[in-house]
Amino acid sequence: MNRQPEADWQTLIIEESADRVLVRLNRPEVRNAIDQQMVDELHRVCASLEASPKILILTGTQQERGGFFASGADIAQLRERRRADALAGINIKLFIRIAQLPMPVIAALDGYVLGGGAELAFAADFRLGTPSIKIGNPETSLGILAAAGASWRLRELVGEPLAKEVLLAGRVLDAQESLAAGLVSALHPPEELIAAANALADRIAAQDPLAVQYTKSVFHAPAGAHPEADMEAQAVLFEAPAKFERMTAFLERKKK
């Protein structure tokens, strides 16, 4: 991967290759708390990936004493936000945009995954973790709610009873609990986390990109959109060159 100039990014470290972009949240002094600058820079990443679809890997900062994904929103900024800021949907609009990126998003999680950091992870298509992850939404302890997606995404991911424990009672899930609940699909040692994320990205990249994009879109279509959404997407793919190329190659391999 080619690392983009750090001068262009204040809160992110970007490494880009032909089929994927690795984005490291990079505010280690505050455990990668999500501030307005990071929101703005992640919007820039989204704009690039909307124009030129690639797999996105989101991860945090590795430190000598352990890594961390994101400890939440920046409380100093959050304390000063008022009604108009809530209605502006600063974080939720970004996380929806990330969830709707054309190609899959992989969150590679280590250490703290809390508050807005958890909601960012919930917006990904895949979540991989390390044995040290702590995932939770402590917003009600601060007098607010998890309004950037957790109130509905977490229920879809782990079911209502566990989601309510996290959202209403402040339960923080450790690695084994997150794995058992299906919130993460696998656990890896910290030094192997990015390799595991890249291995998953390799498997995605081996598929036809257009088929992956349509599959993701149809998967997330509202219930009332089916089966029309499925048929319309398949109609496009049935005419795409990759379908003929890949099926011809499959049939030729069977002959050998």
Side-chain angles (χ1 to χ4, degrees):
M1 291 186 178
N2 298 317
R3 179 170 294 187
Q4 297 188 5
E6 292 184 8
D8 293 341
W9 305 93
Q10 296 182 33
T11 69
L12 306 176
I13 297 173
I14 312 287
E15 298 177 26
E16 184 171 5
S17 67
D19 59 16
R20 72 198 64 175
V21 176
L22 172 64
V23 173
R24 291 185 184 274
L25 309 183
N26 187 38
R27 298 187 72 215
E29 68 281 1
V30 288
R31 292 178 173 171
N32 293 336
I34 300 170
D35 67 351
Q36 185 63 57
Q37 182 67 35
M38 185 179 288
V39 168
D40 293 342
E41 291 186 6
L42 285 170
H43 272 298
R44 286 172 54 194
V45 171
C46 288
S48 175
L49 294 176
E50 288 161 353
S52 179
K54 295 183 179 184
I55 300 161
L56 171 62
I57 300 173
L58 287 169
T59 193
T61 308
Q62 293 291 327
Q63 302 291 311
E64 290 183 4
R65 297 181 180 179
F68 36 83
F69 182 66
S71 59
D74 189 300
I75 302 300
Q77 286 190 6
L78 198 58
R79 183 183 60 183
E80 303 306 315
R81 290 179 180 171
R82 305 301 291 268
R83 181 178 186 274
D85 298 304
L87 295 177
I90 295 170
N91 284 3
I92 186 57
K93 289 181 178 178
L94 169 64
F95 298 164
I96 288 174
R97 191 176 186 183
I98 288 172
Q100 293 177 343
L101 286 172
M103 290 292 285
V105 178
I106 302 168
L109 310 173
D110 192 15
Y112 291 107
V113 188
L114 300 174
E119 291 178 299
L120 174 57
F122 299 160
D125 298 289
F126 303 92
R127 283 162 296 281
L128 307 177
T130 70
S132 70
I133 54 172
K134 302 289 184 182
I135 303 180
N137 287 95
E139 282 86 346
T140 52
S141 72
L142 297 171
I144 59 174
L145 64 87
S151 60
W152 40 280
R153 280 204 179 100
L154 188 56
R155 177 174 56 191
E156 294 175 354
L157 292 169
V158 303
E160 183 173 326
L162 183 54
K164 282 184 173 178
E165 280 201 57
V166 173
L167 296 169
L168 304 180
R171 180 173 173 181
V172 175
L173 304 177
D174 64 21
Q176 290 301 324
E177 291 169 327
S178 299
L179 183 63
L183 193 53
V184 297
S185 57
L187 298 174
H188 303 275
E191 64 274 13
E192 298 175 12
L193 180 63
I194 299 305
N198 275 312
L200 175 55
D202 288 341
R203 296 199 298 274
I204 296 168
Q207 315 306 310
D208 173 54
L210 187 61
V212 169
Q213 291 174 47
Y214 272 104
T215 300
K216 177 175 176 176
S217 176
V218 170
F219 186 93
H220 289 291
H226 302 286
E228 286 76 14
D230 308 62
M231 295 186 293
E232 290 173 4
Q234 193 75 297
V236 174
L237 294 172
F238 271 13
E239 298 295 332
K243 173 229 178 182
F244 297 97
E245 294 168 2
R246 285 173 173 261
M247 290 190 177
T248 298
F250 174 83
L251 294 171
E252 289 177 350
R253 286 196 301 270
K254 284 191 67 176
K255 292 178 182 178
K256 295 180 180 179

